[in-house]
Amino acid sequence: MSEVHTVAVLLSVKEPVKLSVSMNAIISHQTPSFNKVHPEKGPVSGGTRLTVSGKHLDAGSAVTVFLGQGECLFVRRNMREIVCVTPPSQSGSGPSPIKLFIDKAEVTSAETRYLYTEDPTITNVEPNWSIVNGSTSITITGTNLLTIQEPKVRAKYGGVETTNMCTVVNDSAMTCLAPGIVYTKRQPPESGLHPDEFGFILDHVTALLILNGTPFTYYPNPTFDPLGNSGILEVKPGSPIILKGKNLIPPAPGNARLNYSVMIGETPCLLTVSESQLLCDSPDLTGEQRVLILVGGLEYSLGMLHIYSDSALTLPAIIGIGAGGGVLLIAIIAVLIAYKRKTRDADRTLKRLQLQMDNLESRVALECKEAFAELQTDIQELTNDMDGVKIPFLEYRTYTMRVMFPGIEEHPVLKELDSPANVEKALRLFSQLLHNKMFLLTFIHTLEAQRSFSMRDRGNVASLLMAALQGRMEYATVVLKQLLADLIEKNLENRNHPKLLLRRTESVAEKMLTNWFTFLLHRFLKECAGEPLFMLYCAIKQQMEKGPIDAITGEARYSLSEDKLIRQQIDYKQLTLMCIPPEGEAGTEIPVKVLNCDTVTQVKDKLLDAVYKGIPYSQRPQAEDMDLGKSSGAMLRSSLEGVTDGSLVALVQKQVSAYNIANSFTFTRSLSRYESLLRTSSSPDSLRSRAPMITPDQETGTKLWHLVKNHEHADQREGDRGSKMVSEIYLTRLLATKGTLQKFVDDLFETVFSTAHRGSALPLAIKYMFDFLDEQADRRQISDPDVRHTWKSNCLPLRFWVNVIKNPQFVFDIHKSSITDACLSVVAQTFMDSCSTSEHRLGKDSPSNKLLYAKDIPNYKSWVERYYRDISKMPSISDQDMDAYLVEQSRLHASEFNTLSALSELYFYISKYKEEILTALDRDGYCRKHKLRHKLEQAINLMSGSS
């Protein structure tokens, strides 16, 4: 739009002449406008270089661009565009209107908007290491990365900041060249350096300038030795070239490796990289070629390679080769003559071997076929069998006692203390002293310093203390934390490897920690982890009992343990017996599957399991208290003779009376658990071939037999058991058994290593203790993630879970047989291996229980790592919240143990080490100030007054 003006111009000259000129001047004004911005979006924190495109944008003298309320920092302009840098958004993410002010005149565009997006985030840096020189490739994953125009990665070390370029691949990934760091000392440590700061320059996004995640590590630059002594190496064409050096493979976790290129002249060569050398396939070149190695941003020129071609053979060499060839020909003819003579013998041997191999092949095929068929049917059967079984959890008191004092049934802490008044008064005084933290720590440390204070004593003191402090769990926790901190300090002072901490029970603190978890994870066991553990126990028991079990050795057809595997073919049949329960009526028979090779005791156990399914073991009748009767009224005593599929049998309570003895319904003496091991068998002489392994019982005349001939039996002949190689074919049964039980093992591991359990939260005790270990590692500047991982593994999985997996009878009212125990030990070993950070290098000679789960362990390890990572990300528990939880736990279980009885047991150690404890109280300033020696002497005097 243009306008026409008439302008009057006055010209002034020396002469005072007035001249008036009228002219028409056409002056054109163009209105500025804009219709596009590039890019159309950028991060909320600003810093995007924004180009506003339009017409006549160079009009006027001053220009200002606003995005919403914020002013865009002006860079430059011309007729078609204005360039400025976006400010931070004042209203978060979302579209923002654009306004231009040119000499105070406002220019807007209704359609043009700029979109503020959420700031980018970074979730992973892979690999999280480089070499000191940098320039190795790293891959970054995150969100909103496409909104950044010139991303850079940065590091700061020793006050010097370095950066390097990044390339965005898509919105969630970009690749960067790692920044180097300036390291002025001679040689960086092999274990690597951590920069003071590591992060990303992403426009004006400040939150990612310093990443607080996995620490980035810098390893020393690789170095190479020069070629030969003078920098020239002579090689034949096609022979490999070995380039020696140091630090070629940084000791970083994960699979990432440095990317080496080796140029021979202009040709790259095919590489194999090891710890101290590069092996390079020689290219098809001759003459002198320069050797150049490229890695990261480094170039190494190692010198010249002289590749020479083979020369023609000389006359003496030709004569020598000819003579050698003649001798060789004579030798070959001699060998052929000898071979001809041997062939006839070999043919006969070969035929015999072929026959044996065919025999062996058919046995292997049959074994594998059986194993496969079993695997298909067993899993479904097991799952069906366990439906509706009620879990027989032990009550809190019995469960804690079995962990604290294994093998002791009637422990004094469960009984009332019957003692004179002065003893009770002395014990109450002793109790007050134990509730003084300094006294208790001095007491424990003094005991541990005594050479006669054994490992057993340490465990006993730890358990008695936890029983005595059950009503004051918050105080017990404070003491436990202090003892663990002292243990860590001592471990580091003695220069022991930090990974050995908490591995074995060598201190009061370690057993106290086990007991602490035992107390605080009881509810978690009942509500969550108990179910998969019980299901695994049931699955193992039922699977083992589906096949023959040797009642003397405990060896079984089905096993996870090679030591407890029957390595022979046994012919057996499954029978279904109709069992009449004790006091049962006609029509209440229960079908029970047994084997025709079971002992009578084994049959009784199977019948009792079926009749009393779901009833705790301690409340059932035991096999030795029952008799097994046939429908004819006769009692089965020595074998299952005459019992067929579908037979009716009765379980009868043993009665001791003259009438019953006269009528042969029972016997006055109950047989041992190995009674009546005579077997029914397919061939009559096979029974006679078995040697009795235990002498006949003098009273009953019962002989005890092995199910199969003992592996190491003296008169074993070739073919009785076959060679070791033949027996190894039965190891396939381990795999079949593992396949059947896999789901149950997976369920247990998944429950234990998961932070969200079927709706219930992670127990506070686990998070609290893991945070305490992390805090201790921070305080002692232990940055190695493997050490932290190992501390946590030794503290919870190895101190608590392994104990519970190997001993489910600590948690449930059940009976654990030797074969079940052996299988649970294999599962517990797998559990321990899954928590370890060390690599498991397995070969064909490794133990079978390690080979059995070799492919599963890497998967389980990833579960453990994820579990620890998830726990560390959770918000920490305040001491107030933890104390409130511990006080509630104390209130729930305050009356489980008799505190005075526990104190009385503990007092034994006061009397045993009286002088040493009194001396230690004298030495400590706090104890002297609070007259703790005097108070202890009062208690001692009161006690001695009773004797």
Side-chain angles (χ1 to χ4, degrees), residues 353-376:
L353 281 174
Q354 191 68 49
L355 204 63
Q356 288 176 349
M357 284 300 291
D358 289 347
N359 193 15
L360 178 60
E361 253 180 46
S362 61
R363 285 176 67 190
V364 172
L366 181 67
E367 193 62 38
C368 293
K369 192 175 175 183
E370 276 182 21
F372 182 74
E374 284 162 5
L375 182 57
Q376 301 311 310

PDB file of all heavy atoms in Angstrom, residues 353-376:
ATOM      1  N   LEU A 353      32.417-104.253  18.860  1.00  0.00           N
ATOM      2  CA  LEU A 353      32.157-102.885  19.366  1.00  0.00           C
ATOM      3  C   LEU A 353      30.845-102.348  18.810  1.00  0.00           C
ATOM      4  O   LEU A 353      30.072-101.682  19.514  1.00  0.00           O
ATOM      5  CB  LEU A 353      33.304-101.932  18.982  1.00  0.00           C
ATOM      6  CG  LEU A 353      34.562-102.015  19.847  1.00  0.00           C
ATOM      7  CD1 LEU A 353      35.653-101.131  19.261  1.00  0.00           C
ATOM      8  CD2 LEU A 353      34.269-101.567  21.277  1.00  0.00           C
ATOM      9  N   GLN A 354      30.612-102.638  17.501  1.00  0.00           N
ATOM     10  CA  GLN A 354      29.392-102.141  16.854  1.00  0.00           C
ATOM     11  C   GLN A 354      28.159-102.684  17.563  1.00  0.00           C
ATOM     12  O   GLN A 354      27.184-101.980  17.812  1.00  0.00           O
ATOM     13  CB  GLN A 354      29.385-102.588  15.381  1.00  0.00           C
ATOM     14  CG  GLN A 354      28.313-101.923  14.532  1.00  0.00           C
ATOM     15  CD  GLN A 354      28.597-100.440  14.342  1.00  0.00           C
ATOM     16  OE1 GLN A 354      29.691-100.053  13.998  1.00  0.00           O
ATOM     17  NE2 GLN A 354      27.612 -99.607  14.606  1.00  0.00           N
ATOM     18  N   LEU A 355      28.230-103.948  17.920  1.00  0.00           N
ATOM     19  CA  LEU A 355      27.123-104.585  18.625  1.00  0.00           C
ATOM     20  C   LEU A 355      26.880-103.907  19.975  1.00  0.00           C
ATOM     21  O   LEU A 355      25.740-103.593  20.347  1.00  0.00           O
ATOM     22  CB  LEU A 355      27.457-106.075  18.831  1.00  0.00           C
ATOM     23  CG  LEU A 355      26.267-107.024  19.016  1.00  0.00           C
ATOM     24  CD1 LEU A 355      25.395-107.048  17.776  1.00  0.00           C
ATOM     25  CD2 LEU A 355      26.778-108.422  19.343  1.00  0.00           C
ATOM     26  N   GLN A 356      28.004-103.656  20.706  1.00  0.00           N
ATOM     27  CA  GLN A 356      27.883-102.986  22.014  1.00  0.00           C
ATOM     28  C   GLN A 356      27.330-101.569  21.858  1.00  0.00           C
ATOM     29  O   GLN A 356      26.500-101.119  22.642  1.00  0.00           O
ATOM     30  CB  GLN A 356      29.256-102.930  22.704  1.00  0.00           C
ATOM     31  CG  GLN A 356      29.724-104.296  23.213  1.00  0.00           C
ATOM     32  CD  GLN A 356      31.130-104.226  23.816  1.00  0.00           C
ATOM     33  OE1 GLN A 356      31.823-103.226  23.676  1.00  0.00           O
ATOM     34  NE2 GLN A 356      31.539-105.309  24.466  1.00  0.00           N
ATOM     35  N   MET A 357      27.799-100.862  20.821  1.00  0.00           N
ATOM     36  CA  MET A 357      27.334 -99.488  20.589  1.00  0.00           C
ATOM     37  C   MET A 357      25.839 -99.452  20.270  1.00  0.00           C
ATOM     38  O   MET A 357      25.099 -98.594  20.752  1.00  0.00           O
ATOM     39  CB  MET A 357      28.111 -98.839  19.431  1.00  0.00           C
ATOM     40  CG  MET A 357      29.522 -98.395  19.798  1.00  0.00           C
ATOM     41  SD  MET A 357      29.539 -97.180  21.123  1.00  0.00           S
ATOM     42  CE  MET A 357      28.828 -95.771  20.307  1.00  0.00           C
ATOM     43  N   ASP A 358      25.392-100.421  19.421  1.00  0.00           N
ATOM     44  CA  ASP A 358      23.959-100.476  19.095  1.00  0.00           C
ATOM     45  C   ASP A 358      23.133-100.695  20.355  1.00  0.00           C
ATOM     46  O   ASP A 358      22.077-100.079  20.559  1.00  0.00           O
ATOM     47  CB  ASP A 358      23.687-101.623  18.099  1.00  0.00           C
ATOM     48  CG  ASP A 358      24.231-101.295  16.721  1.00  0.00           C
ATOM     49  OD1 ASP A 358      24.576-100.113  16.509  1.00  0.00           O
ATOM     50  OD2 ASP A 358      24.332-102.209  15.873  1.00  0.00           O
ATOM     51  N   ASN A 359      23.643-101.574  21.212  1.00  0.00           N
ATOM     52  CA  ASN A 359      22.967-101.866  22.478  1.00  0.00           C
ATOM     53  C   ASN A 359      22.884-100.604  23.338  1.00  0.00           C
ATOM     54  O   ASN A 359      21.824-100.262  23.885  1.00  0.00           O
ATOM     55  CB  ASN A 359      23.769-102.969  23.196  1.00  0.00           C
ATOM     56  CG  ASN A 359      22.970-103.559  24.344  1.00  0.00           C
ATOM     57  OD1 ASN A 359      21.762-103.356  24.415  1.00  0.00           O
ATOM     58  ND2 ASN A 359      23.634-104.269  25.229  1.00  0.00           N
ATOM     59  N   LEU A 360      24.037 -99.919  23.421  1.00  0.00           N
ATOM     60  CA  LEU A 360      24.096 -98.695  24.224  1.00  0.00           C
ATOM     61  C   LEU A 360      23.170 -97.626  23.648  1.00  0.00           C
ATOM     62  O   LEU A 360      22.438 -96.946  24.369  1.00  0.00           O
ATOM     63  CB  LEU A 360      25.544 -98.179  24.268  1.00  0.00           C
ATOM     64  CG  LEU A 360      25.798 -96.865  25.033  1.00  0.00           C
ATOM     65  CD1 LEU A 360      25.394 -97.020  26.487  1.00  0.00           C
ATOM     66  CD2 LEU A 360      27.252 -96.461  24.938  1.00  0.00           C
ATOM     67  N   GLU A 361      23.187 -97.492  22.307  1.00  0.00           N
ATOM     68  CA  GLU A 361      22.344 -96.490  21.639  1.00  0.00           C
ATOM     69  C   GLU A 361      20.866 -96.695  21.953  1.00  0.00           C
ATOM     70  O   GLU A 361      20.126 -95.760  22.234  1.00  0.00           O
ATOM     71  CB  GLU A 361      22.557 -96.573  20.122  1.00  0.00           C
ATOM     72  CG  GLU A 361      23.363 -95.423  19.578  1.00  0.00           C
ATOM     73  CD  GLU A 361      23.555 -95.553  18.077  1.00  0.00           C
ATOM     74  OE1 GLU A 361      22.576 -95.850  17.370  1.00  0.00           O
ATOM     75  OE2 GLU A 361      24.689 -95.367  17.621  1.00  0.00           O
ATOM     76  N   SER A 362      20.447 -97.977  21.893  1.00  0.00           N
ATOM     77  CA  SER A 362      19.023 -98.235  22.142  1.00  0.00           C
ATOM     78  C   SER A 362      18.671 -97.908  23.589  1.00  0.00           C
ATOM     79  O   SER A 362      17.587 -97.416  23.888  1.00  0.00           O
ATOM     80  CB  SER A 362      18.676 -99.686  21.813  1.00  0.00           C
ATOM     81  OG  SER A 362      19.422-100.553  22.642  1.00  0.00           O
ATOM     82  N   ARG A 363      19.629 -98.139  24.534  1.00  0.00           N
ATOM     83  CA  ARG A 363      19.369 -97.790  25.942  1.00  0.00           C
ATOM     84  C   ARG A 363      19.261 -96.278  26.121  1.00  0.00           C
ATOM     85  O   ARG A 363      18.382 -95.784  26.815  1.00  0.00           O
ATOM     86  CB  ARG A 363      20.504 -98.321  26.826  1.00  0.00           C
ATOM     87  CG  ARG A 363      20.431 -99.836  27.045  1.00  0.00           C
ATOM     88  CD  ARG A 363      21.614-100.344  27.824  1.00  0.00           C
ATOM     89  NE  ARG A 363      21.603 -99.845  29.195  1.00  0.00           N
ATOM     90  CZ  ARG A 363      22.629 -99.993  30.030  1.00  0.00           C
ATOM     91  NH1 ARG A 363      23.719-100.613  29.637  1.00  0.00           N
ATOM     92  NH2 ARG A 363      22.556 -99.536  31.257  1.00  0.00           N
ATOM     93  N   VAL A 364      20.194 -95.545  25.467  1.00  0.00           N
ATOM     94  CA  VAL A 364      20.160 -94.070  25.558  1.00  0.00           C
ATOM     95  C   VAL A 364      18.857 -93.545  24.970  1.00  0.00           C
ATOM     96  O   VAL A 364      18.175 -92.698  25.555  1.00  0.00           O
ATOM     97  CB  VAL A 364      21.379 -93.435  24.836  1.00  0.00           C
ATOM     98  CG1 VAL A 364      21.235 -91.930  24.764  1.00  0.00           C
ATOM     99  CG2 VAL A 364      22.673 -93.806  25.540  1.00  0.00           C
ATOM    100  N   ALA A 365      18.485 -94.080  23.787  1.00  0.00           N
ATOM    101  CA  ALA A 365      17.260 -93.616  23.126  1.00  0.00           C
ATOM    102  C   ALA A 365      16.041 -93.860  24.010  1.00  0.00           C
ATOM    103  O   ALA A 365      15.180 -92.988  24.172  1.00  0.00           O
ATOM    104  CB  ALA A 365      17.093 -94.335  21.790  1.00  0.00           C
ATOM    105  N   LEU A 366      15.997 -95.048  24.624  1.00  0.00           N
ATOM    106  CA  LEU A 366      14.865 -95.388  25.490  1.00  0.00           C
ATOM    107  C   LEU A 366      14.814 -94.442  26.682  1.00  0.00           C
ATOM    108  O   LEU A 366      13.746 -93.923  27.048  1.00  0.00           O
ATOM    109  CB  LEU A 366      15.015 -96.844  25.975  1.00  0.00           C
ATOM    110  CG  LEU A 366      13.891 -97.360  26.884  1.00  0.00           C
ATOM    111  CD1 LEU A 366      12.588 -97.461  26.113  1.00  0.00           C
ATOM    112  CD2 LEU A 366      14.254 -98.712  27.472  1.00  0.00           C
ATOM    113  N   GLU A 367      16.000 -94.190  27.281  1.00  0.00           N
ATOM    114  CA  GLU A 367      16.074 -93.302  28.461  1.00  0.00           C
ATOM    115  C   GLU A 367      15.602 -91.893  28.110  1.00  0.00           C
ATOM    116  O   GLU A 367      14.813 -91.279  28.821  1.00  0.00           O
ATOM    117  CB  GLU A 367      17.529 -93.269  28.957  1.00  0.00           C
ATOM    118  CG  GLU A 367      17.733 -92.668  30.331  1.00  0.00           C
ATOM    119  CD  GLU A 367      17.020 -93.436  31.420  1.00  0.00           C
ATOM    120  OE1 GLU A 367      16.963 -94.679  31.381  1.00  0.00           O
ATOM    121  OE2 GLU A 367      16.481 -92.777  32.311  1.00  0.00           O
ATOM    122  N   CYS A 368      16.077 -91.363  26.960  1.00  0.00           N
ATOM    123  CA  CYS A 368      15.710 -90.004  26.542  1.00  0.00           C
ATOM    124  C   CYS A 368      14.221 -89.919  26.217  1.00  0.00           C
ATOM    125  O   CYS A 368      13.558 -88.936  26.539  1.00  0.00           O
ATOM    126  CB  CYS A 368      16.533 -89.569  25.330  1.00  0.00           C
ATOM    127  SG  CYS A 368      18.273 -89.386  25.741  1.00  0.00           S
ATOM    128  N   LYS A 369      13.723 -90.966  25.555  1.00  0.00           N
ATOM    129  CA  LYS A 369      12.302 -90.986  25.195  1.00  0.00           C
ATOM    130  C   LYS A 369      11.438 -90.965  26.459  1.00  0.00           C
ATOM    131  O   LYS A 369      10.459 -90.232  26.552  1.00  0.00           O
ATOM    132  CB  LYS A 369      12.023 -92.246  24.364  1.00  0.00           C
ATOM    133  CG  LYS A 369      10.665 -92.258  23.687  1.00  0.00           C
ATOM    134  CD  LYS A 369      10.545 -93.474  22.796  1.00  0.00           C
ATOM    135  CE  LYS A 369       9.139 -93.575  22.199  1.00  0.00           C
ATOM    136  NZ  LYS A 369       8.993 -94.785  21.388  1.00  0.00           N
ATOM    137  N   GLU A 370      11.845 -91.787  27.454  1.00  0.00           N
ATOM    138  CA  GLU A 370      11.115 -91.812  28.729  1.00  0.00           C
ATOM    139  C   GLU A 370      11.143 -90.438  29.392  1.00  0.00           C
ATOM    140  O   GLU A 370      10.135 -89.936  29.867  1.00  0.00           O
ATOM    141  CB  GLU A 370      11.764 -92.837  29.675  1.00  0.00           C
ATOM    142  CG  GLU A 370      11.298 -94.260  29.460  1.00  0.00           C
ATOM    143  CD  GLU A 370      11.953 -95.212  30.466  1.00  0.00           C
ATOM    144  OE1 GLU A 370      12.423 -94.741  31.519  1.00  0.00           O
ATOM    145  OE2 GLU A 370      11.987 -96.408  30.189  1.00  0.00           O
ATOM    146  N   ALA A 371      12.360 -89.853  29.418  1.00  0.00           N
ATOM    147  CA  ALA A 371      12.509 -88.543  30.074  1.00  0.00           C
ATOM    148  C   ALA A 371      11.613 -87.504  29.424  1.00  0.00           C
ATOM    149  O   ALA A 371      10.961 -86.706  30.091  1.00  0.00           O
ATOM    150  CB  ALA A 371      13.971 -88.100  30.006  1.00  0.00           C
ATOM    151  N   PHE A 372      11.544 -87.539  28.069  1.00  0.00           N
ATOM    152  CA  PHE A 372      10.734 -86.561  27.352  1.00  0.00           C
ATOM    153  C   PHE A 372       9.245 -86.752  27.654  1.00  0.00           C
ATOM    154  O   PHE A 372       8.516 -85.806  27.938  1.00  0.00           O
ATOM    155  CB  PHE A 372      10.994 -86.683  25.846  1.00  0.00           C
ATOM    156  CG  PHE A 372      10.236 -85.675  25.028  1.00  0.00           C
ATOM    157  CD1 PHE A 372      10.629 -84.348  25.009  1.00  0.00           C
ATOM    158  CD2 PHE A 372       9.101 -86.041  24.295  1.00  0.00           C
ATOM    159  CE1 PHE A 372       9.923 -83.416  24.270  1.00  0.00           C
ATOM    160  CE2 PHE A 372       8.396 -85.112  23.564  1.00  0.00           C
ATOM    161  CZ  PHE A 372       8.810 -83.784  23.545  1.00  0.00           C
ATOM    162  N   ALA A 373       8.817 -88.009  27.613  1.00  0.00           N
ATOM    163  CA  ALA A 373       7.394 -88.299  27.866  1.00  0.00           C
ATOM    164  C   ALA A 373       7.012 -87.885  29.282  1.00  0.00           C
ATOM    165  O   ALA A 373       5.949 -87.304  29.521  1.00  0.00           O
ATOM    166  CB  ALA A 373       7.133 -89.785  27.664  1.00  0.00           C
ATOM    167  N   GLU A 374       7.928 -88.167  30.246  1.00  0.00           N
ATOM    168  CA  GLU A 374       7.647 -87.806  31.640  1.00  0.00           C
ATOM    169  C   GLU A 374       7.479 -86.301  31.786  1.00  0.00           C
ATOM    170  O   GLU A 374       6.580 -85.814  32.452  1.00  0.00           O
ATOM    171  CB  GLU A 374       8.801 -88.270  32.537  1.00  0.00           C
ATOM    172  CG  GLU A 374       8.788 -89.764  32.795  1.00  0.00           C
ATOM    173  CD  GLU A 374      10.142 -90.263  33.308  1.00  0.00           C
ATOM    174  OE1 GLU A 374      11.024 -89.430  33.541  1.00  0.00           O
ATOM    175  OE2 GLU A 374      10.288 -91.474  33.460  1.00  0.00           O
ATOM    176  N   LEU A 375       8.386 -85.562  31.134  1.00  0.00           N
ATOM    177  CA  LEU A 375       8.352 -84.100  31.260  1.00  0.00           C
ATOM    178  C   LEU A 375       7.017 -83.538  30.796  1.00  0.00           C
ATOM    179  O   LEU A 375       6.474 -82.616  31.397  1.00  0.00           O
ATOM    180  CB  LEU A 375       9.508 -83.505  30.442  1.00  0.00           C
ATOM    181  CG  LEU A 375       9.668 -81.994  30.491  1.00  0.00           C
ATOM    182  CD1 LEU A 375       9.844 -81.528  31.924  1.00  0.00           C
ATOM    183  CD2 LEU A 375      10.860 -81.550  29.677  1.00  0.00           C
ATOM    184  N   GLN A 376       6.469 -84.110  29.711  1.00  0.00           N
ATOM    185  CA  GLN A 376       5.205 -83.593  29.175  1.00  0.00           C
ATOM    186  C   GLN A 376       4.045 -83.771  30.151  1.00  0.00           C
ATOM    187  O   GLN A 376       3.163 -82.945  30.259  1.00  0.00           O
ATOM    188  CB  GLN A 376       4.851 -84.288  27.844  1.00  0.00           C
ATOM    189  CG  GLN A 376       5.904 -84.127  26.764  1.00  0.00           C
ATOM    190  CD  GLN A 376       6.342 -82.687  26.587  1.00  0.00           C
ATOM    191  OE1 GLN A 376       5.512 -81.795  26.446  1.00  0.00           O
ATOM    192  NE2 GLN A 376       7.635 -82.413  26.631  1.00  0.00           N
TER     193      GLN A 376
END
